[in-house]
Amino acid sequence: MPTPKALRPFAHREYRVLIAALAISIFGSGMWAVAMVYQVIHLGGGPLELSMVAAAGSVGLVAFVLAGGIAADRIPQRRLIIAVEGANLAVIAAVSGLAMTGLLQLWHVAAGSFVLGVGAAFFFPAYSAILPRILPAQDLLAANGMEGSMRPVLQQAAGPAVAGIVVAALSPSHAVTAVAVCHLLAFIVLNFLGQHALAAPANGAVDGAGGPEGGAAADGTPGAEGGEVRRRSFFHDLREGVIYTLGTPWLLWTLVWACISVLFLIGPIEVLLPFVVRDQLAGDSRMFGFLLAVMGVGAALGSLLTASFRLPRRYLTVMMVSWGAGSLPLAAVGVMDSFWAIAAALFIFGATGSVGMVIWGTLLQRRVPPHLLGRVSSLDFFVSLALMPVSMALAGPAAEVLPIWLIFLVAGGVCPVMAVIAMAVARMPADELAHPLDQEPALERTTAAGD
């Protein structure tokens, strides 16, 4: 009996190690989201202090995500991922020890949140860049789908739920300790990644007489003509990634669409949806939480479904239509007075959004040159993250001068229109036919030790 496509990546030892560590780590991240809140409250903090601690994590992530992408293209990704998990373990273990001994202060929690944000900024570009090194091309879609289905289940549901139970049964400090245990386990598992297989990224981190820009080998050794190795600057590497992005229409216009969608959608969902629940459904925080859970279930199912099939021949079209059409039901959220109708709209939005994201991650790994993958992934991450707080900051003032139904109508209507514009300007239908990815590669480049 053939292995289901969604499970084919598990045939590779290095992937099994990597995904096991990732699952433990994102479960710990979900626990931290709750443990951090109640640890701040336990220390006497209020909404202002909690906001500052939460913002510290976001600042660390946004401030270092571009550096994380450059590091993923310069440093052996195995070493980088293990170092990040080790740093996460060290800082959360320190917070746990201080909490258990009664010495913890608010700034310690903020520092821990900041380090975790910085860690995420380095971890995920390296994770994205390492997958094509340990999996054959036809298994990347399934691997991205597996991550997309794991994340809402572990980080948004299971992790917070377990942390809530630990806080209620014991204390916030015990929940922080449990987070430290998660990072310890992930760190141990990551050390089983094969050193011989993942020694160094095939990147352009160095120049020489005969390499990517003159002859240096990918591993940084001098070229065949004896050119001197020259380290590139941070800004040179960043500029190279930006130039590639600006010169690649499908990539550029997908990021343009992502910027606009984040700006128009995140604020209404995160800030205004609770008022829709209160005013239109006469509901409370439990109903709001349940609606977010429905959206998460949709995202998990959409990712799993996408992982179960081959990459579509019209991959850019499917991606943009999924994102654009999936945003359309949100246009009616502001006028709905039925819980199930709003739940259905959010389920569709979550499912179609994850379909597009799984395809998108796979396209980066298959169409972006390996030596640029970390930087391009971090640029994608950065443009999305940078506008999230802007969207949330604008949603409240917008609701003061405009009716909520109009804000949702605009948000749900702009994104499909922009999807059509992006497809047309970037000529995505012609591009995807000129660069087919639905064929099984004749030669597979797999470095996993257990294959």
Side-chain angles (χ1 to χ4, degrees), residues 268-282:
I269 292 173
E270 296 288 339
V271 177
L272 302 183
L273 187 58
F275 297 99
V276 170
V277 170
R278 185 193 68 183
D279 299 335
Q280 296 170 209
L281 305 180

Side-chain angles (χ1 to χ4, degrees), residues 98-125:
L98 291 170
M100 287 295 189
T101 57
L103 301 176
L104 188 67
Q105 300 178 31
L106 281 171
W107 74 268
H108 295 138
V109 185
S113 183
F114 178 81
V115 172
L116 291 181
V118 174
F122 282 86
F123 185 95
F124 287 104

Side-chain angles (χ1 to χ4, degrees), residues 224-236:
E225 300 179 9
E228 291 295 325
V229 174
R230 177 168 54 87
R231 297 297 299 182
R232 294 180 179 175
S233 70
F234 173 92
F235 292 104
H236 180 284

Side-chain angles (χ1 to χ4, degrees), residues 29-364:
S29 297
M31 290 194 68
W32 172 255
V34 171
M36 177 266 292
V37 169
Y38 287 96
Q39 188 65 73
V40 170
I41 294 173
H42 181 74
L43 294 173
L48 177 61
E49 289 78 12
L50 180 58
S51 178
M52 292 176 61
V53 171
S58 298
V59 169
L61 183 56
V62 173
F64 284 88
V65 69
L66 294 179
I70 292 173
D73 289 336
R74 285 186 172 212
I75 301 172
Q77 291 133 8
R78 174 188 183 274
R79 185 187 307 167
L80 185 59
I81 289 173
I82 292 175
V84 167
E85 202 57 49
N88 291 343
L89 169 61
V91 71
I92 298 303
V95 172
S96 170
L98 291 170
M100 287 295 189
T101 57
L103 301 176
L104 188 67
Q105 300 178 31
L106 281 171
W107 74 268
H108 295 138
V109 185
S113 183
F114 178 81
V115 172
L116 291 181
V118 174
F122 282 86
F123 185 95
F124 287 104
Y127 171 82
S128 181
I130 206 174
L131 278 183
R133 295 174 56 79
I134 64 177
L135 290 175
Q138 68 269 21
D139 287 347
L140 291 174
L141 184 71
N144 290 315
M146 187 58 60
E147 183 206 350
S149 59
M150 276 192 342
R151 191 168 297 281
V153 172
L154 296 178
Q155 189 168 3
Q156 299 173 19
V162 171
I165 293 172
V166 174
V167 169
L170 299 172
S171 69
S173 58
H174 285 86
V176 174
T177 302
V179 175
V181 171
C182 289
H183 287 297
L184 173 62
L185 293 175
F187 179 76
I188 292 172
V189 172
L190 283 172
N191 276 276
F192 286 95
L193 283 172
Q195 296 189 40
H196 66 286
L198 306 172
N203 59 22
V206 293
D207 291 354
E213 295 188 20
D219 61 359
T221 58
E225 300 179 9
E228 291 295 325
V229 174
R230 177 168 54 87
R231 297 297 299 182
R232 294 180 179 175
S233 70
F234 173 92
F235 292 104
H236 180 284
D237 281 0
L238 180 59
R239 183 171 62 252
E240 187 178 26
V242 171
I243 290 173
Y244 176 82
T245 300
L246 294 177
T248 309
W250 70 267
L251 177 59
L252 172 63
W253 280 93
T254 304
L255 289 179
V256 169
W257 183 90
C259 289
I260 293 173
S261 67
V262 167
L263 183 63
F264 277 87
L265 294 176
I266 296 300
I269 292 173
E270 296 288 339
V271 177
L272 302 183
L273 187 58
F275 297 99
V276 170
V277 170
R278 185 193 68 183
D279 299 335
Q280 296 170 209
L281 305 180
D284 56 13
S285 60
R286 290 172 296 179
M287 183 178 290
F288 173 65
F290 189 79
L291 286 173
L292 293 183
V294 168
M295 186 168 67
V297 170
L301 292 179
S303 296
L304 191 59
L305 180 66
T306 309
S308 301
F309 295 92
R310 293 175 63 175
L311 188 69
R313 182 168 181 259
R314 292 280 191 176
Y315 51 86
L316 290 171
T317 300
V318 172
M319 179 180 72
M320 297 306 298
V321 169
S322 295
W323 280 337
S327 304
L328 196 56
L330 295 181
V333 165
V335 296
M336 292 176 177
D337 58 4
S338 166
F339 168 80
W340 294 109
I342 294 179
L346 292 175
F347 179 88
I348 293 171
F349 176 70
T352 55
S354 67
V355 169
M357 285 303 300
V358 171
I359 296 175
W360 170 247
T362 306
L363 295 189
L364 292 182

